[in-house]
Amino acid sequence: MYTTLSEKTSEKLVLMQKISSQNAEERLVELMNQMKDSKENKDKYSFEIPHTRQQLASLTGLSLETTIRVIKRMEKNEILMIKNGKIFY
């Protein structure tokens, strides 16, 4: 139990440090990279983001509108894919 708690706390600390001083797109990319790193399949568009846009905004400290704009820009730049309202990274 202590090991799991320690790992989760450590992950949150690293994420907090990485997203604290970056622009909106870098924050979202870093969050998505951290989520994808926990999975084995690293192929492009193979990981479905398990959070809503509102949850992503809350996790990165961005407004919902900014998050939506950045996600659309990332889709246009082929960084991620939106299919049936789901985000694939």
Side-chain angles (χ1 to χ4, degrees), residues 65-78:
E65 293 81 9
T66 301
T67 302
I68 291 170
R69 270 188 266 123
V70 170
I71 287 173
K72 283 298 203 182
R73 188 177 335 126
M74 290 169 69
E75 180 185 30
K76 184 178 177 183
N77 294 336
E78 298 180 355

Side-chain angles (χ1 to χ4, degrees), residues 18-33:
K18 287 182 178 181
I19 69 170
S20 64
S21 63
Q22 299 172 343
N23 68 34
E25 186 171 338
E26 290 172 348
R27 288 181 186 194
L28 285 168
V29 167
E30 187 60 44
L31 178 66
M32 292 177 190
N33 279 337

Side-chain angles (χ1 to χ4, degrees), residues 4-79:
T4 303
L5 180 60
S6 174
E7 288 172 359
K8 293 288 183 184
T9 305
S10 177
E11 288 173 6
K12 297 294 181 191
L13 176 65
V14 169
L15 177 62
M16 193 172 69
Q17 289 172 339
K18 287 182 178 181
I19 69 170
S20 64
S21 63
Q22 299 172 343
N23 68 34
E25 186 171 338
E26 290 172 348
R27 288 181 186 194
L28 285 168
V29 167
E30 187 60 44
L31 178 66
M32 292 177 190
N33 279 337
Q34 190 172 13
M35 284 186 231
K36 192 172 185 176
D37 285 346
S38 65
K39 303 298 178 191
E40 291 179 15
N41 191 353
K42 307 285 189 212
D43 295 336
K44 191 170 187 177
Y45 309 136
S46 64
F47 178 68
E48 181 181 343
I49 302 298
H51 299 292
T52 64
R53 287 158 181 80
Q54 177 64 56
Q55 291 169 328
L56 290 173
S58 296
L59 288 169
T60 56
L62 300 169
S63 69
L64 177 60
E65 293 81 9
T66 301
T67 302
I68 291 170
R69 270 188 266 123
V70 170
I71 287 173
K72 283 298 203 182
R73 188 177 335 126
M74 290 169 69
E75 180 185 30
K76 184 178 177 183
N77 294 336
E78 298 180 355
I79 297 171

